[in-house]
Amino acid sequence: MHQYLELCRRIVDEGEWVANERTGKRCLTVINADLEYSVERNEFPIITTRKSYWKAAIAELLGYLRGYDNAADFRALGTKSWDANANENPAWLANPVRRGEDDMGRVYGVQGRAWARPSGEPLDQLRKIVDDLSNGLDDRGEILTFYNPGEFELGCLRPCMHTHTFSLLGGKLHLTSYQRSCDVPLGLNFNQIQVFTLLALMAQITGHAAGTAYHKIVNAHIYEDQLELMRDVQLKRKPFPAPKLHINPDIKSLEDIETWVTLNDFSVEGYQHHDPIAYPFSV
């Protein structure tokens, strides 16, 4: 929580204005931010200076791990986070490859579970990583990436959180996640929750103790229509202690995640928070 607030203050105090072509808005921007989350100590990095909707973040992560490409499937899991990008993005609506309402195209989980080889055959990146880690193998290339420039035009949005690298060291599983761009008031806590939960889940299904999740952000920004709420409301609130995330111990394999796992298999203990803040969302 303190890392989050320090980054917000840094953007407010040191950020430079950058025009964003996609949204038509300006962003107060800094380059390079590094955050760490102790999954080992179960210090769940949820925002406490406003109410954060952690269930939607975990539902979205589950959709990625299943390789979903349709906003309706994400809604069925418990999140509407892809509704706008699938159905309100003018460039995507005009794209001839779009297959109708709720289609997201080849984004995020599609790349992670069915990357297209030159032959056209799909490559399941996640399956390879799970198999290696389950066998105690770290080939220094346990990398899950959603970033496929050759297929950007086939999806509604380039990935923001684009690459996850898993590392085994000293009997613990660690994660380093890379993010090219981050809407800090709205998107960052989604990303924090997902990074933490991804490491916790992967450690559980591969039989390892969880260590630390490292979260690296290149472009961290606050949109101009979010600045007043961040500066005058959220940054003036005192944070509460970090809660704990509990995951159903019966989740033991990737197949479990693919087939029966729901939000009912996750709970957060001890979450205290201030009132919600209605930050504007930019499509």
Side-chain angles (χ1 to χ4, degrees):
M1 183 67 238
H2 292 285
Q3 296 176 92
Y4 173 89
L5 293 175
E6 287 171 6
L7 175 56
C8 293
R9 290 191 184 97
R10 179 185 160 204
I11 297 171
V12 171
D13 293 341
E14 304 174 16
E16 297 184 23
W17 287 108
V18 176
N20 183 261
E21 181 179 354
R22 178 176 62 87
T23 63
K25 300 178 183 178
R26 295 189 307 158
C27 303
L28 201 56
T29 304
V30 299
I31 300 300
N32 192 49
D34 290 282
L35 302 95
E36 296 183 10
Y37 319 123
S38 178
V39 183
E40 180 177 16
R41 296 193 297 269
N42 198 4
E43 296 173 350
F44 192 49
I46 190 169
I47 297 304
T48 62
T49 48
R50 65 168 173 82
K51 184 176 183 180
S52 182
Y53 300 92
W54 62 268
K55 290 184 178 181
I58 292 179
E60 185 178 67
L61 175 64
L62 292 175
Y64 293 162
L65 297 180
R66 291 178 176 180
Y68 285 168
D69 65 356
N70 192 283
D73 291 328
F74 281 88
R75 288 197 299 275
L77 281 173
T79 179
K80 297 180 180 180
S81 57
W82 279 94
D83 285 6
N85 283 309
N87 298 311
E88 299 176 21
N89 182 334
W92 179 238
L93 294 177
N95 193 318
V97 304
R98 184 175 182 267
R99 297 170 298 173
E101 185 177 2
D102 286 328
D103 180 39
M104 296 158 48
R106 291 188 55 79
V107 297
Y108 282 89
V110 178
Q111 301 294 346
R113 302 306 309 271
W115 184 286
R117 302 173 189 261
S119 65
E121 291 296 313
L123 169 66
D124 190 339
Q125 299 180 64
L126 184 59
R127 178 79 266 173
K128 178 265 183 188
I129 295 167
V130 170
D131 288 347
D132 281 357
L133 296 178
S134 297
N135 290 313
L137 175 65
D138 173 5
D139 66 4
R140 293 182 290 184
E142 307 303 342
I143 299 172
L144 175 68
T145 185
F146 306 141
Y147 205 78
N148 186 350
E151 294 194 343
F152 283 165
E153 74 279 6
L154 302 182
C156 64
L157 184 71
R158 288 183 300 164
C160 296
M161 177 81 72
H162 59 81
T163 300
H164 304 276
T165 300
F166 296 90
S167 303
L168 279 174
L169 186 66
K172 296 177 183 177
L173 182 65
H174 305 275
L175 172 64
T176 305
S177 296
Y178 305 87
Q179 188 166 358
R180 66 169 180 86
S181 175
C182 184
D183 175 341
V184 171
L186 272 181
L188 179 52
N189 200 216
F190 246 62
N191 302 132
Q192 292 177 291
I193 289 167
Q194 289 173 343
V195 170
F196 184 99
T197 306
L198 177 59
L199 176 54
L201 268 177
M202 288 289 283
Q204 182 166 311
I205 69 174
T206 61
H208 297 286
T212 301
Y214 302 93
H215 184 179
K216 305 181 73 67
I217 303 169
V218 176
N219 184 302
H221 51 266
I222 298 173
Y223 281 99
E224 56 187 328
D225 55 6
Q226 301 169 331
L227 180 58
E228 183 176 356
L229 286 170
M230 174 59 72
R231 182 189 58 220
D232 299 339
V233 180
Q234 188 165 359
L235 281 176
K236 294 188 176 182
R237 294 175 173 177
K238 184 177 180 180
F240 294 105
K244 297 185 181 300
L245 175 70
H246 297 294
I247 300 175
N248 184 346
D250 291 335
I251 302 173
K252 297 178 180 178
S253 68
L254 181 56
E255 288 74 19
D256 290 341
I257 294 172
E258 292 170 334
T259 55
W260 59 263
V261 173
T262 71
L263 286 179
N264 293 329
D265 296 296
F266 302 85
S267 63
V268 174
E269 175 190 350
Y271 182 34
Q272 297 175 273
H273 57 79
H274 291 267
D275 291 338
I277 298 176
Y279 283 112
F281 174 68
S282 298
V283 178

